[in-house]
Amino acid sequence: MRFIETWTPATVVATRDLTAGIRELLLRPDQFAAAPYLVGSHIQVGVTIAGRPETRCYSLVGEVDAQGYRIAVRRAPDSRGGSRYMWSLTPGARLNITRPISLLEVDWTRRHFCLVAGGIGITPILGAAQALMRRNADVTLHYAVRSRGDAAYLDVLEATLGDRLIVHAADQGHRLDLAAAFAALPERTMTLFCGPMRMLEAARRAWEAAGRPMTDLRYETFGSSGLLPTETFRVRLRGEGVELVIPQDRSMLDVLNEAGHEVMSDCRRGECGVCALDVVEVDGEIDHRDVFFSGHQKQESRKICACVSRARGTITVDTLRRADTV
């Protein structure tokens, strides 16, 4: 497995509201050494949802801080319960977290960088901006938000980037034109992106239309973001006469495993494809929330990443589990 998780107890040291809908939490692991971590690092956090232990993933904000790890959590009414739990925590609360790990590969030899963040996607992008400015790189950050009041860490970004920061606030009529932004970039510019799935799909299309190598577009997305609302759906298991209900606040992977169907998994972020299942039939629509499958594969809907993707209606999948092999 690529994702070896080492868990450690931690304390919520402080919380503060960055905006009306985004709360920052400062977490200090026991025996914290303030060791530097890679750009784009995230941690897993143990949460409790409806009395069940689960995990959620949060990007670390900025570069290493001697006080602990900073994460920012958006209050999401349609989430699977993680944000509600994190917002309920107060200073002194105890929880378990993993050590930081990064999946974002950055070519530090490049001279030109474009950073793009959508909403809460600013969390991993802030550290990238700080690191690039320290290296005197040519960097521009496009920050897309519904309103300027929704822009978390705006003061830090302005102090770090100055006029290299471009805020696109929809309520002020300043929407981000990805095609224009990408067309204006110098050759061999590397772009780092983090934002919701709909925005990521638009970024991929604009990047490809600009004739730029897809390997120069690096991105993270939110495991909970999709093109459809998060709602209850049903999963039938081929050849087993089983139909399971996937509640709004649970993943298909967790429900299948709890029911004894043992689906393998690794990243639980829709990035590695280990938990992918064959789709036999779709009575409704699949909401592919992974970044593992290509756009063409998602249109075909022959497979689904059970850890993050969801559906509307009922889907039939093949877990490859057979009675004669159990």
Side-chain angles (χ1 to χ4, degrees):
M1 296 291 184
R2 296 183 302 158
F3 302 87
I4 300 174
E5 297 173 344
T6 301
W7 290 84
T8 184
T11 301
V12 178
V13 176
T15 67
R16 64 174 178 135
D17 290 347
L18 304 172
T19 70
I22 300 177
R23 178 167 294 174
E24 180 189 83
L25 293 91
L26 176 61
L27 311 178
R28 185 178 181 89
D30 294 359
Q31 301 177 339
F32 181 58
Y37 47 77
L38 298 174
V39 165
S41 288
H42 62 268
I43 58 172
Q44 297 282 350
V45 177
V47 303
T48 302
I49 300 174
R52 299 184 301 266
E54 296 194 23
T55 62
R56 293 293 186 268
C57 182
Y58 296 102
S59 296
L60 296 181
V61 178
E63 297 186 289
V64 64
D65 186 327
Q67 299 182 72
Y69 298 140
R70 294 184 187 275
I71 62 173
V73 182
R74 181 177 66 89
R75 188 192 309 206
D78 63 343
S79 78
R80 292 184 289 121
S83 70
R84 288 193 298 273
Y85 176 82
M86 297 302 291
W87 271 64
S88 74
L89 297 176
T90 56
R94 298 282 287 171
L95 69 173
N96 291 318
I97 66 175
T98 63
R99 293 177 180 174
I101 185 172
S102 176
L103 305 176
L104 190 64
E105 298 180 4
V106 181
D107 182 356
W108 297 106
T109 66
R110 300 292 181 94
R111 175 60 187 160
H112 305 289
F113 288 85
C114 175
L115 308 179
V116 181
I120 192 64
I122 195 62
T123 51
I125 296 298
L126 174 56
Q130 292 170 330
L132 289 168
M133 290 299 289
R134 282 194 295 101
R135 289 169 168 79
N136 294 317
D138 176 24
V139 55
T140 299
L141 169 55
H142 294 275
Y143 189 7
V145 289
R146 289 190 177 92
S147 70
R148 199 171 183 88
D150 293 331
Y153 299 109
L154 193 55
D155 54 342
V156 179
L157 291 165
E158 288 174 336
T160 302
L161 292 161
D163 59 7
R164 300 184 185 200
L165 169 67
I166 305 173
V167 179
H168 304 268
D171 68 331
Q172 297 177 344
H174 300 152
R175 292 186 177 275
L176 173 57
D177 184 339
L178 287 166
F182 292 162
L185 296 177
E187 290 296 319
R188 299 197 74 249
T189 294
M190 171 163 280
T191 289
L192 308 181
F193 171 95
C194 187
M197 185 63 70
R198 193 179 298 276
M199 188 176 173
L200 172 59
E201 294 299 331
R204 281 172 162 170
R205 291 193 299 270
W207 191 258
E208 187 174 22
R212 297 182 178 272
M214 290 305 296
T215 52
D216 286 350
L217 175 64
R218 307 293 171 86
Y219 49 82
E220 287 195 351
T221 186
F222 322 141
S224 60
S225 67
L227 303 180
L228 301 177
T230 300
E231 59 186 44
T232 297
F233 66 102
R234 294 178 177 272
V235 174
R236 293 174 182 153
L237 305 185
R238 178 183 183 182
E240 298 188 42
V242 174
E243 182 174 291
L244 300 171
V245 175
I246 314 299
Q248 181 186 35
D249 62 351
R250 304 209 67 195
S251 71
M252 181 166 58
L253 175 66
D254 287 340
V255 172
L256 286 169
N257 282 339
E258 189 175 273
H261 297 283
E262 299 180 359
V263 178
M264 290 182 62
S265 65
D266 193 354
C267 73
R268 289 179 172 262
R269 288 164 54 90
E271 295 172 345
C272 68
V274 171
C275 68
L277 299 175
D278 290 336
V279 176
V280 179
E281 185 179 353
V282 179
D283 183 9
E285 185 178 0
I286 292 181
D287 187 12
H288 292 283
R289 302 185 175 190
D290 65 277
V291 293
F292 177 75
F293 292 121
S294 68
H296 177 69
Q297 289 172 310
K298 290 179 180 181
Q299 286 183 342
E300 290 184 329
S301 283
R302 293 180 181 175
K303 288 184 177 292
I304 183 171
C305 281
C307 66
V308 295
S309 294
R310 302 187 66 81
R312 172 182 289 163
T314 302
I315 64 172
T316 302
V317 301
D318 193 343
T319 65
L320 302 181
R321 180 178 180 270
R322 299 291 182 265
D324 59 357
T325 63
V326 177

